[in-house]
Amino acid sequence: MRGNILKRRKRAVIVGLVGLVSAVIVFSGCGPKTYNNGTYKGISTAGDKGYAMADVVVEKDKIKSVKLTEINELGVEKDYATYPYPTAKEANAEMEKRFVGRSDNKADTYAGATVSSNQYKEAVGFALEKARKVLTVKSAQFDGTFAGRSKETPEGWQVAWVTIQGDKLTSVRLDDVEDGKLKDWVTYPYVKAVEAKGLMEKAMVEKGSTTVDTISGATRSSIGWIEAASAALQNAKVK
């Protein structure tokens, strides 16, 4: 009798342990550990040829899908239907696939489109940082140079590149887009606008902000530059 009781107790203990282990396994597999579920936008740093954007859908600690976009130096989205460099279109489609199922941004670059691939990877990395339950970036903005543009007017629009280091605005470059190209400031005849550009760049750095006074005689451009530089700062935000 006593032996039967001991056997039953032993079986009960084993069953209990198996149930506990199963519960731990099931529990540990539920919900994200590193990332919150959702859709997150990452915007890469910008070079002279533009930058990349990534809309990343995260589910159960993995990348479920990615939408990649390239913005050129004029602040205009590249249209792959008409873009003259076929490899860029191929890289765009292929890199979207390469990120799916990963929990990081370390996908292989696409041969022949290294710059675009690296910008895609950076954009996805920034998106994943935004998705983290616990951020690893402690600053309010990512370090690096980010670009932005103003709204379009009949005369064109303004673009800006701002460089951030440790949440500090360290440099600003402003430009105008007219007739589908960047303005040639060396030959531009309106001296007041040339001077205003330099004054605005200096004022933003000195103040550490894009909220500066407009320059008389170049009011339209000044307003556009403030708008473009503010958009660039927005693109640098971690949250």
Side-chain angles (χ1 to χ4, degrees):
M1 178 69 72
R2 188 165 178 270
N4 290 336
I5 293 173
L6 289 174
K7 286 180 181 178
R8 285 197 295 270
R9 286 180 178 174
K10 189 174 182 179
R11 281 199 300 269
V13 169
I14 291 172
V15 170
L17 287 173
V18 170
L20 179 60
V21 170
S22 299
V24 169
I25 292 173
V26 171
F27 180 77
S28 63
C30 292
K33 307 180 194 69
T34 303
Y35 304 113
N36 294 300
N37 292 335
T39 302
Y40 300 88
K41 181 180 289 292
I43 299 173
S44 77
T45 53
D48 289 338
K49 298 299 182 181
Y51 59 96
M53 298 194 301
D55 292 288
V56 180
V57 177
V58 179
E59 189 175 290
K60 296 180 181 178
D61 261 7
K62 300 287 185 182
I63 295 174
K64 183 179 180 182
S65 65
V66 177
K67 171 62 176 156
L68 299 173
T69 307
E70 283 189 284
I71 309 298
N72 68 18
E73 70 276 12
L74 305 179
V76 177
E77 181 179 338
K78 289 182 181 178
D79 180 3
Y80 294 113
T82 59
Y83 196 62
Y85 187 43
T87 307
K89 181 179 181 179
E90 295 165 5
N92 176 265
E94 180 61 27
M95 290 299 291
E96 288 182 343
K97 298 174 186 176
R98 292 185 182 185
F99 289 115
V100 174
R102 300 189 66 91
S103 57
D104 57 36
N105 67 330
K106 297 177 182 178
D108 292 335
T109 58
Y110 190 83
T114 303
V115 173
S116 294
S117 295
N118 286 332
Q119 287 186 329
Y120 289 146
K121 290 167 71 171
E122 187 176 49
V124 170
F126 287 165
L128 288 177
E129 177 65 24
K130 295 178 181 182
R132 284 184 178 275
K133 295 175 75 69
V134 179
L135 298 180
T136 61
V137 175
K138 303 305 179 184
S139 55
Q141 295 162 310
F142 293 109
D143 286 345
T145 299
F146 295 84
R149 62 163 283 180
S150 69
K151 292 189 289 289
E152 187 172 355
T153 69
E155 293 80 15
W157 63 90
Q158 283 66 46
V159 289
W161 290 260
V162 302
T163 301
I164 312 291
Q165 187 67 41
D167 277 338
K168 183 179 180 182
L169 184 60
T170 60
S171 72
V172 176
R173 179 161 64 94
L174 305 172
D175 218 323
D176 276 8
V177 177
E178 289 184 352
D179 299 323
K181 59 185 178 180
L182 295 174
K183 188 177 288 182
D184 182 358
W185 294 99
V186 175
T187 60
Y188 193 63
Y190 187 41
V191 177
K192 189 68 176 179
V194 179
E195 294 174 348
K197 175 180 175 295
L199 289 172
M200 292 285 286
E201 291 170 339
K202 183 179 179 181
M204 288 180 184
V205 173
E206 288 180 347
K207 189 174 181 180
S209 168
T210 58
T211 307
V212 296
D213 294 333
T214 59
I215 305 296
S216 177
T219 304
R220 180 184 60 81
S221 290
S222 295
I223 293 171
W225 285 329
I226 291 171
E227 188 177 322
S230 298
L233 283 182
Q234 183 66 33
N235 287 343
K237 280 191 174 183
V238 176
K239 281 292 190 183

